[in-house]
Amino acid sequence: MAEHRHAHWQEIGQIAAGVGRTSSGVIFKDLNADGRTDYLCLNPDGSVDAWLNTGAAQWAEQGRITNGIGEAGLGDVLTFADASGDGRDDYLAITSDGAVYAWLTVGAYGMKL
């Protein structure tokens, strides 16, 4: 029988206290290309609230970083990925037929729509 080892994971415990959103609305993406994933809350209307990861389980609140595209917006799926290749994750809306609309990151930490 194979021995189960946990050599690649070190438990550090809770890293974020939560902000009152359900887990389905919380995602982690790197907004400012510093190599650390930031804490994002995607709201039902597509707006996004963000906290930048400052290291050592510390989060700097950024507030609402985008108003979004609306609950009945063009995207069935809203997500973040680096579409421009600059190292910062961009705001993407994916429609039911697979078309993708993008809003690229601009500014000091992320995007503004």
Side-chain angles (χ1 to χ4, degrees):
M1 177 177 259
E3 179 182 336
H4 295 284
R5 297 175 27 186
H6 300 281
H8 299 289
W9 302 99
Q10 176 185 356
E11 183 178 348
I12 59 172
Q14 180 177 304
I15 63 167
V19 294
R21 306 281 168 58
T22 63
S23 61
S24 65
V26 174
I27 59 175
F28 291 87
K29 296 292 180 173
D30 188 1
L31 288 181
N32 56 359
D34 66 355
R36 293 185 290 236
T37 56
D38 304 308
Y39 187 103
L40 306 178
C41 289
L42 185 59
N43 301 307
D45 65 357
S47 63
V48 179
D49 301 315
W51 290 259
L52 295 181
N53 183 345
T54 61
Q58 299 293 315
W59 305 94
E61 184 174 358
Q62 303 301 299
R64 177 96 4 119
I65 62 168
T66 180
N67 290 329
I69 58 175
E71 200 166 347
L74 57 99
D76 291 327
V77 175
L78 300 175
T79 190
F80 287 81
D82 184 8
S84 64
D86 66 357
R88 296 182 294 179
D89 287 318
D90 305 305
Y91 183 74
L92 307 175
I94 306 168
T95 66
S96 60
D97 65 358
V100 179
Y101 294 82
W103 290 260
L104 302 180
T105 56
V106 295
Y109 65 86
M111 86 229 146
K112 294 182 187 282
L113 296 178

